């Protein structure tokens, strides 16, 4: 039982490049989330999903897109990366209104 | 904007002492959760307290919730060096939708 797995763990992008972050969970959770964490700011919700085929915007959705084609996967896309998107990205999943299980994070640097 | 705000931002104590962290939030909630994050790692869930509960215990952890003051506290008793981490409160707002909102966290340093 791996829990929540994020890939990749590290990535360096040039401004304007695109990339996709993958989150996979094997706990059959309905809800999945993408957060970004910046120094001294805690976690801010980017997008979330309450089920397969559904997504919704969080606090800071601009510049990101997401897809939930399969229940176990939640993808976060950056279409045109900007230096302001340099951050650590965390994926999480929950079963209903319960504890969240987090991945280990993806450290993204945009130069 | 942050729903939860932790206080203090940083706390340094000696091993064996108790550590208390506070969290204030703005809107009514379904539940409030506390998480721990070790440096460079993902968050780990510690304890969840529902809006109709006032106190909850788990091992050396004690959480209280005062919905009238919109605040919660996390007490870690008999702290250990391994408790050194950042601690976050997270709220599930009772405003419809479904999203957990995190505060900025308290950095705890436990000196051996």
């Amino acid at each position: 039982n791996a829990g929540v797995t994020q890939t990749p763990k590290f990535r360096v992008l040039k401004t304007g490049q695109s990339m996709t972050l993958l989150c996979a969970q094997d706990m059959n959770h309905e809800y999945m989330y993408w957060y970004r964490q910046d120094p001294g700011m805690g976690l801010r919700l980017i997008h979330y999903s309450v089920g397969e085929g559904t997504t919704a915007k969080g606090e800071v959705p601009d510049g990101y897109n997401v897809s939930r084609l399969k229940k176990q996967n939640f993808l976060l896309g950056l279409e045109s990366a900007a230096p302001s998107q340099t951050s650590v990205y965390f994926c999480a999943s929950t079963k209903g209104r319960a504890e969240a299980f987090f991945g280990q994070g993806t450290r993204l640097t945009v130069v | 904007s942050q729903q939860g705000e932790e206080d203090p931002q940083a706390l340094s104590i000696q091993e064996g002492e108790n550590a208390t962290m506070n969290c204030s939030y703005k809107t009514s909630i379904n539940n409030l959760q506390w998480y721990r994050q070790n440096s460079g790692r993902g968050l780990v869930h510690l304890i969840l307290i529902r809006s109709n509960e006032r106190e909850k215990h788990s091992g050396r952890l004690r959480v209280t919730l005062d919905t009238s003051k919109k605040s919660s506290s996390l007490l870690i008793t008999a702290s250990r060096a391994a408790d050194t981490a950042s601690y976050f409160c997270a709220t599930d707002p009772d405003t419809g939708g479904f999203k957990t909102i995190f505060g900025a966290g308290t950095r705890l340093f436990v000196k051996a």
Side-chain angles (χ1 to χ4, degrees), chain B residues 59-81:
Chain B
R60 294 184 295 114
L61 305 180
R62 172 177 169 256
V63 169
T64 61
L65 178 64
D66 187 334
T67 53
S68 66
K69 295 181 179 179
K70 291 187 172 57
S71 67
S72 173
S73 67
L74 170 66
L75 169 66
I76 303 174
T77 60
S79 62
R80 306 166 182 167

Side-chain angles (χ1 to χ4, degrees), chain A residues 31 33 35 37 40-45 48 50 57-59 90 94 96-105 107, chain B residues 1-2 30-31 33 35 37 40-43 45 48 50 88 92-93 97-105 107:
Chain A
Y31 306 99
Y33 312 82
Y35 293 90
Q37 185 176 33
M41 293 194 70
L43 278 74
R44 290 183 292 170
L45 182 64
Y48 65 102
V50 298
K57 294 180 180 179
E59 299 173 89
F90 286 99
T94 66
R97 295 186 183 276
E99 64 184 281
F101 291 81
F102 281 83
Q104 289 301 298
R107 189 172 296 274
Chain B
S1 62
Q2 301 284 355
N30 291 301
N31 64 61
Q33 304 172 43
Y35 291 81
Q37 183 182 34
R41 299 292 194 94
L43 279 73
H45 181 263
L48 180 152
R50 303 192 189 285
F88 295 89
D92 176 12
F98 199 107
K99 40 192 173 181
T100 301
I101 307 297
F102 285 81
R107 293 186 181 182

Side-chain angles (χ1 to χ4, degrees), chain A residues 30-82:
Chain A
E30 299 96 345
Y31 306 99
M32 297 187 73
Y33 312 82
W34 276 107
Y35 293 90
R36 60 177 288 173
Q37 185 176 33
D38 301 296
M41 293 194 70
L43 278 74
R44 290 183 292 170
L45 182 64
I46 304 171
H47 285 281
Y48 65 102
S49 168
V50 298
E52 183 178 320
T54 70
T55 63
K57 294 180 180 179
E59 299 173 89
V60 288
D62 293 342
Y64 306 94
N65 57 74
V66 288
S67 63
R68 183 101 181 266
L69 299 180
K70 294 183 179 180
K71 186 177 184 178
Q72 63 268 34
N73 295 337
F74 195 28
L75 278 63
L76 177 70
L78 285 72
E79 293 179 339
S80 179

Side-chain angles (χ1 to χ4, degrees), chain B:
Chain B
S1 62
Q2 301 284 355
Q3 161 74 323
E5 297 289 341
E6 288 91 340
D7 171 57
Q9 290 185 333
L11 180 61
S12 182
I13 60 174
Q14 292 290 138
E15 208 167 29
E17 293 180 338
N18 295 341
T20 300
M21 288 160 269
N22 302 298
C23 170
S24 60
Y25 57 92
K26 298 174 184 175
T27 65
S28 60
I29 58 173
N30 291 301
N31 64 61
L32 185 144
Q33 304 172 43
W34 285 92
Y35 291 81
R36 183 186 73 225
Q37 183 182 34
N38 291 92
S39 181
R41 299 292 194 94
L43 279 73
V44 175
H45 181 263
L46 295 176
I47 197 165
L48 180 152
I49 186 165
R50 303 192 189 285
S51 59
N52 61 353
E53 298 176 310
R54 292 297 167 260
E55 188 172 311
K56 206 161 183 180
H57 297 255
S58 177
R60 294 184 295 114
L61 305 180
R62 172 177 169 256
V63 169
T64 61
L65 178 64
D66 187 334
T67 53
S68 66
K69 295 181 179 179
K70 291 187 172 57
S71 67
S72 173
S73 67
L74 170 66
L75 169 66
I76 303 174
T77 60
S79 62
R80 306 166 182 167
D83 294 328
T84 293
S86 291
Y87 291 82
F88 295 89
C89 71
T91 54
D92 176 12
D94 186 17
T95 54
F98 199 107
K99 40 192 173 181
T100 301
I101 307 297
F102 285 81
T106 292
R107 293 186 181 182
L108 173 66
F109 301 91
V110 182
K111 293 176 282 188

